[in-house]
Amino acid sequence: MFYEVKEIFESASAMISKGGILVLLMVFIPYFTLIILYIKIKRKTTYIASFLIILILLILPYKAIFKTPRLGNFMPRNDSVSLLNSLRTFTAYFCLYLPKNNKNIKEYKEYEIIYSKDDNPKNIVLILGESVNANHIGLLGYHRNTTPKLQDLASNDKNFIAKKGFSSSVLTKVSLPMFMNIAYNHDNIKHILNENTHLFKLAKKAGFKTFYISNQTEAEASAMAPNYIDIIFTKENYLLESEKIGDMVLLKKFNDLQDEFKNGKNFIIIHQRNAHSPYEKGYRGYNQAQEFDINDIKNYKINSYDNAMIFNDYLISNIFKFFKDRVKIPSFIIFTPDHGEAMGELGKNNNQEYGHAFLSENVANIPIFASIYNSDDLNFINNIKNISYPTHYELGLEIAKLLGYDIKNPNYIKDTFYINGVDITGNAGYIEIKRNSNSISFNYKE
């Protein structure tokens, strides 16, 4: 993950520190030389070609300055050629990072990682949701019964947990790298880039077979450190079917692989696309989700979203039930989304908020479900139960423990946590959470 952006940013930083000479030699001069050569050729069509080349080279800077001024939108993608990834990264560096007069990247102490070998078979399953608002979960007090199947599971499982918590960020491209790397501070970009505590890397080093089953595109897999994944499926593997039945493809692929999960050590991530807007598109493969009328214009947004939650209930409960009823080895199951989705809650300025990708505690308000099967080791469940409003960071630490790692973070401040904005470097604001057993407060830093 982010290998190219790491290398390019480091190279650019080194060049800038030497007076910018190397930057001119390696970046600007080749591009300008290419343009000048075309202009010098005295043929009428050359001017058209030159104009087209200049226009193409200006597309990314235009987007960076005027359309989507977020560093995260210019990260390298797995499905792009290296030249395009390089252009994205240099665009981010010169058009977004340098003009902000950013301070030097902040230095943090490195985590201490202590591994205890355990060869016993087990499944560790992380279901990653998409844009799930904890306030719309029946199991957590919502007035609509959007989680009937999970409620049945919870009523018959003393270890089942359903809690509200907080995501690492309000945007997928920021929250997933932070969560997967157990990032604590909002601006510890070096920790994310080095991947020392990436969950897939930890799992692979501990001898787990690793699985990533996703209905997101391959571009989102860059946050998953794919070099450490044994079996990987993304939306591109079943594109036509995904367009027809949405996240139902995840259950189909999961069923195809189910025998893999009945023995050995397995670390499995199942990554949903539902409930990203438009919400009704997410549950198109599950007719029973058509509970609330989406033709009601006044309530269309809420109704379509709650239908998507009903489909989530079906998908998530099926995965929990599989490990409960059909697997004999210890299995630890966790559900959490990448971030939440504001659905009309009042924001800090007392205005109603909708959607995500903006800095708000409402967008970080997420549900967390968890349980264990075929194991007497209750440490995982008890640790989560004892946390009021668990964060992505704390969930990451608990998953690492299941993988065999005790991670010590010297940068941790007691009862203090962070929700990052839409910039993975922390330059688009963040929220500082102060939390104790009796209260929780949010301090916006923009």
Side-chain angles (χ1 to χ4, degrees):
M1 183 189 74
F2 300 134
Y3 289 118
E4 290 184 79
V5 71
K6 178 182 179 182
E7 292 169 358
I8 296 170
F9 265 130
E10 288 177 348
S11 298
S13 297
M15 289 185 283
I16 289 293
S17 67
K18 295 180 180 179
I21 296 174
L22 289 179
V23 173
L24 290 173
L25 289 174
M26 299 181 67
V27 183
F28 291 112
I29 289 178
Y31 286 119
F32 280 104
T33 302
L34 181 63
I35 294 169
I36 290 169
L37 284 174
Y38 273 99
I39 293 174
K40 288 290 185 181
I41 300 174
K42 295 182 178 180
R43 286 166 44 192
K44 186 175 180 180
T45 54
T46 305
Y47 294 102
I48 298 174
S50 300
F51 174 76
L52 290 175
I53 291 171
I54 294 171
L55 187 64
I56 290 170
L57 291 175
L58 288 176
I59 289 174
L60 288 176
Y62 171 78
K63 289 178 65 177
I65 296 170
F66 299 107
K67 302 293 287 185
T68 55
R70 302 170 185 162
L71 281 176
N73 290 340
F74 294 88
M75 290 293 182
R77 296 172 45 153
N78 287 1
D79 55 355
S80 298
V81 297
S82 294
L83 177 59
L84 179 55
N85 282 333
S86 296
L87 288 172
R88 283 194 181 111
T89 306
F90 275 110
T91 297
Y93 190 80
F94 290 108
C95 297
L96 296 176
Y97 186 77
L98 289 182
K100 286 185 177 180
N101 295 318
N102 294 287
K103 298 177 182 178
N104 291 330
I105 295 175
K106 190 170 181 179
E107 295 288 343
Y108 288 96
K109 295 179 181 178
E110 291 191 6
Y111 294 13
E112 180 184 1
I113 306 170
I114 303 169
Y115 175 59
S116 299
K117 187 174 182 180
D118 179 6
D119 290 328
N120 293 318
K122 69 170 73 168
N123 290 307
I124 302 170
V125 185
L126 173 60
I127 308 168
L128 277 175
E130 166 70 51
S131 304
V132 184
N133 184 330
N135 294 338
H136 283 249
I137 301 299
L139 195 55
L140 295 173
Y142 186 45
H143 68 277
R144 285 176 164 178
N145 188 14
T146 54
T147 51
K149 297 181 184 299
L150 286 170
Q151 283 177 307
D152 287 343
L153 270 177
S155 63
N156 295 294
D157 181 358
K158 63 181 181 181
N159 293 321
F160 192 92
I161 294 174
K163 304 190 77 166
K164 291 184 178 182
F166 294 107
S167 61
S168 296
S169 172
V170 295
L171 184 69
T172 302
K173 289 182 179 179
V174 180
S175 66
L176 287 187
M178 291 188 68
F179 180 28
M180 293 302 295
N181 286 283
I182 321 179
Y184 172 70
N185 298 91
H186 70 286
D187 56 353
N188 194 354
I189 184 67
K190 286 189 176 181
H191 175 76
I192 293 173
L193 292 174
N194 68 36
E195 293 185 329
N196 287 339
T197 59
H198 195 289
L199 292 175
F200 266 126
K201 181 177 182 178
L202 295 178
K204 193 62 184 167
K205 288 177 66 177
F208 284 78
K209 188 170 184 178
T210 52
F211 299 81
Y212 179 62
I213 308 167
S214 173
N215 195 31
Q216 299 271 359
T217 63
E218 186 178 295
E220 302 298 339
S222 61
M224 295 295 159
N227 287 348
Y228 301 102
I229 302 176
D230 295 311
I231 306 294
I232 182 168
F233 293 96
T234 63
K235 185 174 183 176
E236 288 81 359
N237 292 106
Y238 23 71
L239 184 60
L240 295 179
E241 193 171 17
S242 173
E243 290 300 317
K244 291 180 181 178
I245 62 174
D247 278 1
M248 290 292 281
V249 296
L250 297 177
L251 286 181
K252 292 186 69 174
K253 182 54 65 177
F254 179 81
N255 289 333
D256 290 344
L257 296 168
Q258 61 180 271
D259 289 342
E260 297 266 6
F261 312 141
K262 295 180 179 180
N263 52 69
K265 295 169 62 178
N266 305 298
F267 180 56
I268 307 150
I269 291 184
I270 301 165
H271 195 177
Q272 296 181 253
R273 180 62 178 173
N274 186 65
H276 199 284
S277 62
Y279 308 126
E280 66 271 21
K281 190 176 180 181
Y283 56 84
R284 57 194 178 279
Y286 183 62
N287 292 331
Q288 292 91 324
Q290 305 280 356
E291 178 73 17
F292 305 108
D293 184 10
I294 63 173
N295 294 314
D296 178 356
I297 302 301
K298 182 179 179 181
N299 297 303
Y300 156 74
K301 185 181 288 289
I302 296 294
N303 287 350
S304 60
Y305 187 80
D306 287 349
N307 286 341
M309 294 301 99
I310 291 174
F311 174 54
N312 262 8
D313 174 67
Y314 170 77
L315 186 146
I316 297 164
S317 63
N318 263 273
I319 295 170
F320 273 78
K321 286 174 67 176
F322 170 80
F323 288 98
K324 178 184 178 183
D325 299 335
R326 301 176 63 184
V327 176
K328 303 302 181 184
I329 64 174
S331 298
F332 303 79
I333 323 297
I334 311 103
F335 167 84
T336 187
D338 52 358
H339 51 73
E341 182 87 342
M343 294 300 297
E345 294 88 350
L346 295 180
K348 64 173 183 171
N349 296 321
N350 214 34
N351 296 320
Q352 281 190 307
E353 296 179 336
Y354 289 93
H356 63 271
F358 57 90
L359 191 61
S360 170
E361 63 208 63
N362 294 321
V363 184
N365 177 31
I366 59 172
I368 295 164
F369 309 132
S371 192
I372 59 172
Y373 304 113
N374 304 308
S375 175
D376 296 325
D377 182 1
L378 298 178
N379 287 330
F380 167 71
I381 290 297
N382 289 336
N383 289 344
I384 297 178
K385 280 183 178 179
N386 291 332
I387 302 173
S388 62
Y389 291 94
T391 63
H392 270 175
Y393 169 72
E394 292 165 305
L395 289 179
L397 289 176
E398 292 303 319
I399 294 171
K401 288 178 183 176
L402 294 176
L403 294 169
Y405 297 89
D406 185 17
I407 295 176
K408 308 292 185 183
N409 178 8
N411 309 295
Y412 173 70
I413 301 172
K414 190 176 189 304
D415 297 328
T416 301
F417 301 91
Y418 304 96
I419 300 168
N420 203 356
V422 297
D423 188 334
I424 199 168
T425 64
N427 289 316
Y430 65 98
I431 302 172
E432 180 185 76
I433 302 174
K434 291 290 186 181
R435 185 194 71 192
N436 58 46
S437 58
N438 300 315
S439 65
I440 188 163
S441 63
F442 304 92
N443 186 11
Y444 285 74
K445 309 277 191 176
E446 298 183 76

